[in-house]
Amino acid sequence: MQQDAGQTNDATTALLSSRSIRHRHFVPILVGVAVMVGLVSGSLYGFGRYSLALKEQLEIGQLQVQRFGILLDSGNYIGHPLAGYVYDHYGPRVSCVGAAMVVFCGYGAIALALFHGNGNMISLALCNVGFFSVGFGSGLGYIAGLGSVTKEFLGRPTLGRAVASVAAGYGLSSTLVGITFHRIPSLHGFFLFWAVLVAMVNLIGAIIFAREEEEEEEQEIHDITDTNAMSNIENNNEDENRSTLSTSMDDENPREHLIQQQQFPYRPWAFSTRLQAWTTWQRLDFWILFGAFACVTGCGLFIINNISTMVQSIGQADSLAGNLLFLLSICNVAGRIIMGSLADVPGVNKIGLFQGVAIIMFFGLLVSAVSPFQEGDHRQLICLTITIASVATAYGGSWVLIVGILADLYGREDFGKDYGLIAMGPAVSGLLFNSVSALIYENHAEDHGNEDGACFGNDCYRSSYWMTAAAAFVGSLILCQMPRTT
């Protein structure tokens, strides 16, 4: 009997060693593809670059343009709970294939609207559906990449940096949007390019992430098989140690639970059972975190969606918006990398870091809110640059920190649903901030008698800066009620 047990252990050790080597070589590929998926999934951050061109070609007002941006953000963030459920229960392959199909159709609809119309009802309807679809599909892909990396590195000291790498790709997407917008001559061609690009990268993700999922399933099957083999060896000794073995298996041995799992596997279509097991949303501290996250990230979406019109309002050329979008992208990535690295430091309070991020955003918005300089003054441009840089850094850092906070407080079992639900916060706050800012913008444009709907001067966005600065400050205060996380 001892010889059989020794042979089993030797075979198990050899198999696990082989898998470990293969897995170690596969991890960099997994992270690299996740970064690529993040890079094409963050295209919503580039909306501010082409929003003015969209407004001019469709001959629509600022409020309608902001509606497109709101639908883009809402599709991404409101769709996160469903995207999280799909990822948790059907795996990254389904998430990535779904992302490829939905985003391709969404960008295709926008390209079709721009090719055939100039602001008629059909064109606007196609754009509305298209932008919402792009947002939703982007969320599907990003959660697949982020979730796969989080599961791989959870419990390791490099989790923060791994998450920051994927999030950095997401943040850099606006730079890629700006480059392609500048290089591709037609607006509908620009959207067609993104339709194909996002679809191709997500299909690659479906192949790579599915391989990781299959390796995990093989490992689970091996664990159960090994458990059964060990149980059979113990049963052969049952005659000699019946009473002792019986007591041990009844009271201490967890193998019976694994065998029962093999005999009665968990069904992925048991929708109600799985939702009943998800209890994070019932916790008060989760909703406190939700409110703080909504306050902070909504401020970032306000800046991201209005860069072109902000540049126009201070009397600067539209080409400058491309430079500021690049600055936003770099600072967004820097914030993600810095906060991801700080989150990995042993003993660091992630909630404290999040409060610091909120304060940075507050002061950045305050700079433009109190700016005394007039339209055309280069010092006004400096103030706007400071605002964009600080807000982008804080915004990027908040998205990395929230992943670590969720994992620390609520675990990884329902990470997709937890992340998906809390990501609805930016959709709500972004809808509020962008709608109010668009109304204020249009009112000032009418007051100045601008028939083309353009607004010039500090008053175009001053009230909106104050509103979002107050929201960031409130977010930092809310976080004082959260428990410490390390």
Side-chain angles (χ1 to χ4, degrees):
M1 297 302 171
Q2 292 179 352
Q3 184 178 2
D4 291 340
Q7 291 175 349
T8 301
N9 288 334
D10 290 342
T12 300
T13 301
L15 181 60
L16 290 177
S17 177
S18 174
R19 283 180 178 161
S20 176
I21 293 172
R22 283 183 303 159
H23 186 74
R24 197 162 53 243
H25 292 153
F26 179 70
V27 168
I29 298 175
L30 174 71
V31 175
V33 173
V35 171
M36 289 174 56
V37 171
L39 184 61
V40 299
S41 297
S43 60
L44 70 162
Y45 291 156
F47 178 80
R49 180 66 189 97
Y50 58 77
S51 61
L52 190 58
L54 200 63
K55 176 181 175 181
E56 293 173 351
Q57 182 159 337
L58 291 176
E59 299 176 0
I60 55 178
Q62 181 68 13
L63 193 59
Q64 179 60 59
V65 171
Q66 283 306 307
R67 187 174 293 121
F68 291 155
I70 289 167
L71 285 169
L72 183 62
D73 296 334
S74 299
N76 187 271
Y77 300 126
I78 292 179
H80 268 29
L82 178 58
Y85 180 85
V86 170
Y87 172 77
D88 280 343
H89 302 299
Y90 298 99
R93 176 185 292 171
V94 174
S95 293
C96 286
V97 171
M101 295 173 60
V102 173
V103 175
F104 181 84
C105 293
Y107 273 132
I110 298 169
L112 184 64
L114 292 169
F115 186 75
H116 288 291
N118 59 345
N120 56 55
M121 186 177 298
I122 296 177
S123 297
L124 293 180
L126 283 172
C127 286
N128 287 335
V129 174
F131 277 113
F132 185 86
S133 300
V134 168
F136 176 69
S138 297
L140 274 172
Y142 183 58
I143 285 182
L146 188 64
S148 297
V149 169
T150 301
K151 285 186 175 181
E152 175 63 37
F153 286 87
L154 190 63
R156 301 187 191 180
T158 55
L159 172 62
R161 278 164 284 179
V163 170
S165 299
V166 181
Y170 194 72
L172 273 175
S173 187
S174 56
T175 296
L176 187 58
V177 169
I179 292 172
T180 53
F181 177 76
H182 178 70
R183 296 292 182 183
I184 299 176
S186 64
L187 197 56
H188 71 272
F190 163 77
F191 286 113
L192 280 177
F193 170 82
W194 273 91
V196 175
L197 177 66
V198 176
M200 289 178 61
V201 173
N202 273 283
L203 289 177
I204 294 173
I207 297 171
I208 299 300
F209 299 153
R211 177 178 170 182
E212 173 71 8
E213 184 182 31
E214 288 166 359
E215 286 191 358
E216 289 181 0
E217 291 175 353
E218 288 177 2
Q219 183 63 42
E220 291 176 2
I221 293 172
H222 168 73
D223 291 342
I224 294 174
T225 303
D226 185 55
T227 300
N228 290 336
M230 294 299 295
S231 296
N232 289 335
I233 294 171
E234 289 178 2
N235 288 336
N236 289 333
N237 298 325
E238 194 174 38
D239 291 338
E240 299 177 8
N241 306 288
R242 181 177 298 276
S243 59
T244 303
L245 180 61
S246 176
T247 302
S248 176
M249 291 186 69
D250 289 342
D251 297 336
E252 299 176 2
N253 199 335
R255 295 190 181 95
E256 290 298 322
H257 177 65
L258 290 173
I259 296 172
Q260 289 174 6
Q261 281 187 327
Q262 185 185 26
Q263 294 172 344
F264 303 102
Y266 203 61
R267 304 299 180 187
W269 52 83
F271 184 85
S272 60
T273 302
R274 292 198 170 192
L275 287 184
Q276 289 172 5
W278 177 41
T279 59
T280 304
W281 65 274
Q282 300 174 8
R283 296 177 55 167
L284 177 61
D285 59 353
F286 177 84
W287 291 107
I288 294 174
L289 184 63
F290 179 95
F293 189 66
C295 287
V296 175
T297 51
C299 301
L301 291 177
F302 158 67
I303 295 294
I304 290 168
N305 286 0
N306 291 282
I307 284 183
S308 290
T309 47
M310 285 176 177
V311 170
Q312 183 187 53
S313 70
I314 62 173
Q316 301 294 331
D318 181 62
S319 59
L320 182 62
N323 297 333
L324 290 178
L325 184 69
F326 178 72
L327 173 67
L328 182 145
S329 178
I330 296 301
C331 292
N332 191 348
V333 171
R336 293 167 191 253
I337 294 174
I338 292 170
M339 288 302 160
S341 299
L342 290 176
D344 283 340
V345 176
V348 169
N349 181 11
K350 296 184 181 69
I351 293 294
L353 289 177
F354 198 10
Q355 284 182 299
V357 159
I359 295 298
I360 291 172
M361 186 167 286
F362 165 71
F363 281 111
L365 291 162
L366 200 62
V367 169
S368 288
V370 302
S371 171
F373 307 116
Q374 300 301 313
E375 171 195 346
D377 192 325
H378 72 279
R379 290 172 293 183
Q380 180 64 21
L381 175 60
I382 293 174
C383 290
L384 179 59
T385 302
I386 293 172
T387 296
I388 290 174
S390 56
V391 168
T393 302
Y395 179 82
S398 66
W399 281 101
V400 172
L401 291 172
I402 199 64
V403 174
I405 292 170
L406 288 174
D408 288 346
L409 291 178
Y410 314 114
R412 75 172 186 174
E413 183 177 355
D414 294 306
F415 171 81
K417 292 187 286 294
D418 295 342
Y419 181 83
L421 180 57
I422 208 165
M424 290 182 66
V428 176
S429 56
L431 170 64
L432 174 64
F433 297 156
N434 284 307
S435 297
V436 172
S437 67
L439 287 172
I440 294 172
Y441 181 96
E442 289 198 337
N443 288 337
H444 283 297
E446 292 175 0
D447 292 342
H448 287 84
N450 297 325
E451 297 180 356
D452 60 354
C455 179
F456 298 95
N458 290 346
D459 291 338
C460 298
Y461 283 105
R462 189 185 299 278
S463 298
S464 301
Y465 288 134
W466 277 111
M467 173 183 65
T468 48
F473 186 73
V474 169
S476 68
L477 293 179
I478 293 174
L479 287 170
C480 293
Q481 307 301 315
M482 288 295 297
R484 177 186 175 91
T485 62
T486 57

